[in-house]
Amino acid sequence: MAYNIFTKAVLATGLTFAVSSAFAADVPVQSGASDGMLANTCAGCHGTNGNSTGPSAPTIAGYNPEYFKFSMAAFASGEFPSTIMGRIAKGYTEDEIAQMADFYAKQKFIPAKQEFDAAQAKKADKLHDKYCEKCHEDGGASPEDESGFLAGQWAPYLRMQLADYYAGSREPSKKMKKKMEELHEKAGDAGVEALVNYYASKQ
Amino acid sequence: MSITRRGFMQSVGAATAVGLIGAPHLALGASKKVVVVGGGTGGATAAKYIRMADPSIEVTLIEANEHYYTCYLSNEVLSDERSIDSIKFGYSGLQGHGVKVVHDTVSEIDAAGMVVKTKSGKSYGYDKCIVSPGISLNYGAIDGYSHEAAESIPHAWKAGPQTSLLRKQLHEMKDGGTFVIVAPPNPFRCPPGPYERASQVAMFMKAHKPNSKVLILDPKPAFSKKGLFEQAWKKFYGYGTDNSMITWKGTPSGSDDNVVSAVDVASKTVTTGFDDVKADVLNIIPPQMAGKVAIDSGLANDKGWCPVKLKTFESTLHKNIHVIGDSSVATGMPKSGYAANSQAKVTASAVIAMLNGQEPGIPSYVNTCYSIAGHNHGFSVAAVYKLAEDESKIVSVAGGLTPMDASEEQLRREVEFAYSWFNNVTNDAFG
């Protein structure tokens, strides 16, 4: 089991989320939709059963449920930068998000079929082991990690997330920040791009 | 975490049990039949999702054309940002899900007899019929406009050959020409569409015909995403200056200033309440109604749209017929591709429940609508919806527009997400 990087963050954002998800609706509405009904609203952007046909929206099939809930809370609170997810995440209650998290955890993750640079991917093998593997186990393919899948995820999506981390608009955990800084010092932008190719190569 | 995982397994067990309730029909040797009329985004999604959730149901989809061209992102075909083939979809994906696909034109849905009849003389009995015919164009509202006139003055509001025709006219237009878009009155398919079209045409002109102009004649006092469009038009096309590439002429309520009442096809001249306007390329997007088959089958109200129960999309006029997408009066939701996709899933779930003698579940709906107004410049409106307690309307509980102060990077990413949404929603419907 990977180090539980998000437990504290989940607790910390829980309160913010409960407040921000208070509905703006001016009339009483019906709640109590099934897991599948709720989860199906994600599929237009994230693919049928959560397997995105890409390239910018991530696959959410097989997501660790804790990471799913944490992400939705972080989008709703604005802690995670986004174009559209922040607006949408506020539309679901904590219970509904837990239902969606359960649904997607049960779906089979299908690695994205995409092009990659084999030489770069090979080069990044060591970079992953050194800087990422501790938390993103099995080459970033373990559903036990309390994080999204990296292996087989869409490269343009990964690039965007990495750009946000390095720009400081998305705050990594302390440990992740340290490793990301070390990675960039050693391998530079080219190393980060090589890692993207490494994860894209896992098909 | 292990407790959570056990929880999942219980959910899986429960879901499987629900799925098996359809089995008694099989035991009786009479599988339930669903006929879907119309193979656009709504119809395709409904057919697929019924088969995915309950393969014991026999689903037949009847669609006249062998390919469907999405209206969404078709404006990019005009500017050569994408090819016509990139918005073209076939039905082999649905066949892979066990949907029987029939290429024929539906002539009548006989609600009393519960049978769908086609022009080739075939009949398809149903337990539930899902009608998703998109829109029909009310040519008669503009004197001189007709189905035949649309061969030289395209509407391009149903994508495909009409899109290619309008593209050809734009590309052949002389530099210095005027491209006139006649916008429709509410309600209509894709509320931001005419204004995205103006943007894409201007984008093309800026690169290839820089002395040309786009003029929008609008019967409305305002339009969808107006602030965001005008902001983009100022940034790219000189909007608001004497030399603006785009001019929007709206109509205050109570006036008929820019309401087009007639067209002279030969001279490409339209008559408004105020003036005659001559175009080099004329694009008339006429007033709209529910798809013809829905109107012909008595599913529409006196305004030409189909009233439905918002929980199940079952027609309030005819039992066991569900109308989804642009044709339906989905009070609270816009007429968009993603809305049709979302309504199709709500309806698929309701139809399965009703066929299995169960109460339909509580619905959840969503819509996202992207517009691309310039290179690396996109924006969106999004909403998550729930059904009002009294079931009188679909209520947006969250969502909203791209903020007016969005950064360049956010606007660039909205374009990326628009393309990603396109890939996913079309695969969700046709894949």
Side-chain angles (χ1 to χ4, degrees):
Chain A
M1 167 68 97
Y3 172 70
N4 188 345
I5 41 173
F6 289 114
T7 306
K8 275 186 186 159
V10 169
L11 292 173
T13 51
L15 187 63
T16 323
F17 177 59
V19 173
S20 64
S21 69
F23 293 142
D26 54 355
V27 295
V29 290
Q30 298 186 10
S31 291
S34 69
D35 298 6
M37 174 69 73
L38 291 164
N40 282 347
T41 62
C42 310
C45 296
H46 292 280
T48 307
N49 292 330
N51 278 296
S52 175
T53 47
S56 301
T59 282
I60 56 174
Y63 252 38
N64 179 292
E66 296 308 319
Y67 182 70
F68 189 104
K69 288 184 272 187
F70 165 74
S71 301
M72 287 289 274
F75 279 123
S77 71
E79 191 185 327
F80 278 8
S82 71
T83 54
I84 202 165
M85 265 318 299
R87 283 178 262 160
I88 289 172
K90 293 189 188 84
Y92 301 96
T93 64
E94 265 184 275
D95 284 348
E96 288 168 342
I97 287 167
Q99 287 178 264
M100 293 158 129
D102 282 359
F103 179 94
Y104 282 110
K106 287 184 306 210
Q107 307 305 314
K108 187 176 157 46
F109 175 91
I110 302 169
K113 289 187 178 56
Q114 58 188 326
E115 289 179 8
F116 61 90
D117 183 319
Q120 286 203 54
K122 194 162 178 243
K123 194 175 96 184
D125 209 339
K126 280 189 186 141
L127 293 175
H128 170 83
D129 284 350
K130 191 164 180 194
Y131 298 106
C132 315
E133 174 67 22
K134 185 106 191 268
C135 295
H136 299 281
E137 287 176 317
D138 301 337
S142 170
E144 295 294 323
D145 291 340
E146 296 197 350
S147 61
F149 282 93
L150 299 180
Q153 191 55 274
W154 286 98
Y157 166 75
L158 293 175
R159 269 186 209 108
M160 252 190 259
Q161 305 315 305
L162 286 161
D164 284 348
Y165 279 125
Y166 278 116
S169 53
R170 179 164 171 173
E171 185 68 26
S173 69
K174 261 190 181 167
K175 288 200 164 190
M176 185 165 165
K177 191 171 181 185
K178 185 165 179 289
K179 289 291 173 191
M180 285 186 73
E181 279 167 2
E182 286 173 17
L183 162 70
H184 198 261
E185 259 169 48
K186 278 272 157 59
D189 288 351
V192 176
E193 178 58 21
L195 264 172
V196 169
N197 279 278
Y198 168 80
Y199 297 123
S201 75
K202 304 286 181 188
Q203 298 185 20
Chain B
M1 184 175 297
S2 60
I3 292 167
T4 318
R5 284 188 183 275
R6 207 167 296 131
F8 295 162
M9 292 320 291
Q10 283 164 358
S11 305
V12 174
T16 309
V18 171
L20 286 175
I21 288 172
H25 300 299
L26 288 178
L28 295 170
S31 65
K32 295 288 182 184
K33 288 187 171 66
V34 172
V35 174
V36 180
V37 177
T41 302
T45 305
K48 171 175 166 179
Y49 269 75
I50 289 174
R51 290 288 305 167
M52 283 201 319
D54 188 345
S56 77
I57 297 174
E58 193 183 310
V59 179
T60 304
L61 182 142
I62 309 176
E63 160 61 43
N65 301 309
E66 295 203 359
H67 294 99
Y68 178 74
Y69 293 87
T70 65
C71 202
Y72 38 94
L73 282 185
S74 68
N75 285 327
E76 280 202 336
V77 174
L78 304 178
S79 56
D80 274 358
E81 291 290 298
R82 68 173 53 236
S83 70
I84 190 80
D85 282 345
S86 75
I87 60 167
K88 179 183 179 182
F89 296 88
Y91 295 95
S92 59
L94 289 183
Q95 285 163 338
H97 291 282
V99 176
K100 291 179 185 167
V101 179
V102 175
H103 293 298
D104 202 344
T105 301
V106 172
S107 51
E108 187 196 353
I109 303 163
D110 174 0
M114 295 177 75
V115 62
V116 174
K117 295 173 182 167
T118 66
K119 274 195 177 151
S120 71
K122 296 217 170 64
S123 293
Y124 300 86
Y126 64 81
D127 296 294
K128 284 282 185 187
C129 181
I130 298 175
V131 182
S132 186
I135 51 164
S136 60
L137 301 162
N138 185 9
Y139 294 112
I142 295 169
D143 198 24
Y145 201 40
S146 63
H147 182 73
E148 292 68 38
E151 294 302 316
S152 61
I153 297 174
H155 52 77
W157 219 238
K158 293 183 183 185
Q162 279 276 307
T163 313
S164 299
L165 176 62
L166 188 60
R167 176 193 168 277
K168 183 165 177 278
Q169 292 185 354
L170 169 63
H171 287 238
E172 288 173 356
M173 189 182 83
K174 66 170 192 260
D175 187 15
T178 304
F179 187 111
V180 176
I181 299 173
V182 176
N186 292 321
F188 64 100
R189 160 183 281 181
C190 189
Y195 315 96
E196 183 191 54
R197 175 167 292 175
S199 312
Q200 288 288 327
V201 169
M203 184 200 281
F204 177 82
M205 287 174 173
K206 197 174 164 182
H208 303 285
K209 300 174 194 291
N211 300 306
S212 307
K213 306 281 183 198
V214 184
L215 170 63
I216 309 164
L217 296 173
D218 206 326
K220 305 181 291 297
F223 58 88
S224 172
K225 304 179 186 168
K226 185 164 180 276
L228 288 161
F229 273 112
E230 290 181 330
Q231 186 181 54
W233 293 348
K234 280 176 191 158
K235 176 175 158 187
F236 292 107
Y237 314 119
Y239 190 68
T241 68
D242 288 346
N243 202 28
S244 178
M245 198 162 237
I246 296 177
T247 303
W248 174 72
K249 290 189 174 178
T251 303
S253 56
S255 157
D256 63 355
D257 276 5
N258 293 299
V259 179
V260 170
S261 57
V263 59
D264 180 58
V265 174
S267 66
K268 293 191 199 276
T269 302
V270 291
T271 303
T272 70
F274 182 71
D275 213 352
D276 283 347
V277 180
K278 188 176 174 350
D280 293 287
V281 175
L282 182 54
N283 170 215
I284 298 180
I285 308 165
Q288 292 153 39
M289 299 180 296
K292 187 172 181 300
V293 67
I295 294 174
D296 291 350
S297 302
L299 293 163
N301 60 22
D302 58 358
K303 290 179 180 136
W305 301 101
C306 303
V308 294
K309 296 171 192 168
L310 300 174
K311 187 174 182 178
T312 60
F313 287 85
E314 186 173 21
S315 166
T316 58
L317 302 176
H318 287 299
K319 231 172 134 31
N320 294 318
I321 300 178
H322 299 245
V323 186
I324 58 173
D326 294 345
S327 280
S328 69
V329 183
T331 312
M333 290 182 88
K335 298 188 187 301
S336 75
Y338 200 7
N341 170 264
S342 178
Q343 292 162 10
K345 293 173 194 175
V346 169
T347 303
S349 165
V351 160
I352 293 167
M354 291 162 98
L355 288 177
N356 289 319
Q358 297 163 345
E359 188 62 29
I362 305 287
S364 174
Y365 328 75
V366 71
N367 179 54
T368 299
C369 172
Y370 290 97
S371 300
I372 301 172
H375 283 296
N376 294 322
H377 191 111
F379 41 78
S380 56
V381 63
V384 175
Y385 304 90
K386 288 187 171 185
L387 181 60
E389 210 164 75
D390 66 4
E391 305 191 1
S392 65
K393 58 180 167 180
I394 296 170
V395 182
S396 167
V397 295
L401 293 159
T402 299
M404 287 291 283
D405 61 354
S407 68
E408 296 279 315
E409 173 62 8
Q410 280 175 305
L411 296 167
R412 187 193 67 75
R413 285 187 184 186
E414 292 250 12
V415 176
E416 266 196 56
F417 282 118
Y419 295 158
S420 197
W421 166 81
F422 178 80
N423 290 341
N424 276 295
V425 81
T426 52
N427 190 61
D428 196 37
F430 299 99

